[in-house]
Amino acid sequence: MKKVISALGLLIATAGSAFATTYPLTIENCGYKETFTKAPERVVALGQNTVEILLLLGLEDKVAASAFWPTKVLPELAEKNKKVKTLTVEIPTLESILAQNPDFVPAQLPLLLGPESKVAKREDLATVGVNSYMSPGMCATKKEIGDMYGSRQKLWDMSFLYKEIEDFARIFNVEDRGQALIADFKKREADLRAEFSKSKKDLSFVFWFSSSSPSSDAYVGGKNSASGFIANVLGGHNAITSETEWPTVGWESIIAANPDVIVVSSLDRNRWALDNAEEKIKFLKSDPAVSQLDAVKKGHIVVMDGQAMNPTIRTIYGAEQIAEQLRKMGLN
């Protein structure tokens, strides 16, 4: 992984200045138009994905603060992230955001910014003259009242992420860096698809994010979510058929689906005991019914960074993380 980041850093460092942003710049984003008269200087980034994209683009000096971290920052970005103040690893308040005197507030999730957000609506920021941005992939979901994350009728893919990277690169006048980052991700996805298309195993996956307790239903990645994308990249499919982004599914339904591989998330947030990957695996192996699943009996349980189950840059890292474990199991 370090070699990949190092190579990307070299690309960014040596890229020419073929692109240059002309200000004022107007960006269309999720039904809003945001006009930038210059590159932002004080960003408060809401959501791990948003921060990590900005850091990968070498914009750590522009990011004043961040919030909402399900897992730790990529190790390769740890030094850069030290320059960024963490407001909270959970959901911040609007007051704490505005206290940083931001001129730009981009967000990863509607939970953090939007009509039903507990933090702020985009109009709240516009009122005080602050530009905002929402991850394009989250605007592609169909939402019902009370459903924060919505559902997807079409499989998520990296094009949403590339749009986000391109937009940030234009906003901050670093388009060469954006193109280098996108080229890196495209190659990594293509390499995985080429490798896993050869076996034609069509493995079925269940991606277990977490549960509030062993007796509770499991929060899993929906059919067309980032989890479904990972399954597709690895030549398989999501055993969960719900189009809801984050359905809660009873273990009876998971047993009936009988997946070939169970992916358990590793989370650093420690909100629930089952955020921990080891606790999930302990449950899978000890529950009288769940332990009889073929995937459990064969040891086809793999661990993946929980942030990769969100539609983020971590998704391709998660696919690589699973791929490495599948190779060891002879499932590539």
Side-chain angles (χ1 to χ4, degrees), residues 88-232:
T88 174
V89 297
E90 293 289 348
I91 300 172
T93 64
L94 179 58
E95 291 74 19
S96 69
I97 294 168
L98 295 180
Q100 304 306 311
N101 193 29
D103 54 3
F104 184 38
V105 179
Q108 173 187 336
L109 298 167
L111 173 72
L112 302 168
L113 186 65
E116 296 183 68
S117 169
K118 296 179 181 178
V119 182
K121 298 178 175 64
R122 295 183 71 164
E123 291 81 3
D124 297 332
L125 295 171
T127 299
V128 293
V130 177
N131 283 330
S132 62
Y133 186 92
M134 174 57 65
S135 179
M138 294 312 303
C139 303
T141 59
K142 180 182 178 182
K143 296 180 180 66
E144 303 293 342
I145 294 175
D147 182 1
M148 187 69 68
Y149 299 103
S151 59
R152 291 185 193 274
Q153 286 69 53
K154 183 180 178 183
L155 185 66
W156 179 88
D157 62 47
M158 295 284 285
S159 64
F160 295 109
L161 206 57
Y162 299 152
K163 171 63 175 168
E164 189 166 2
I165 293 168
E166 286 174 348
D167 283 347
F168 285 158
R170 290 176 65 205
I171 290 167
F172 289 93
N173 194 21
V174 291
E175 289 191 64
D176 289 321
R177 300 180 194 179
Q179 292 304 314
L181 183 57
I182 290 169
D184 175 63
F185 282 133
K186 284 184 175 180
K187 183 180 186 305
R188 289 160 67 180
E189 179 183 342
D191 288 348
L192 286 174
R193 287 191 181 278
E195 176 186 353
F196 282 84
S197 64
K198 294 174 183 176
S199 70
K200 295 183 170 56
K201 286 187 170 68
D202 191 24
L203 298 172
S204 61
F205 294 80
V206 163
F207 293 78
W208 181 17
F209 187 77
S210 195
S211 298
S212 57
S213 71
S215 60
S216 300
D217 291 347
Y219 284 91
V220 297
K223 175 184 177 181
N224 293 322
S225 66
S227 296
F229 169 78
I230 292 174
N232 182 266

Side-chain angles (χ1 to χ4, degrees), residues 3 31 80 89 105 107 117 126 128 220 226 237 262 265 268 292 313:
K3 290 181 179 178
K80 290 183 176 184
V89 297
V105 179
S117 169
V128 293
V220 297
H237 65 277
I262 298 175
S265 78
D268 295 318
Q292 298 308 302
I313 59 147

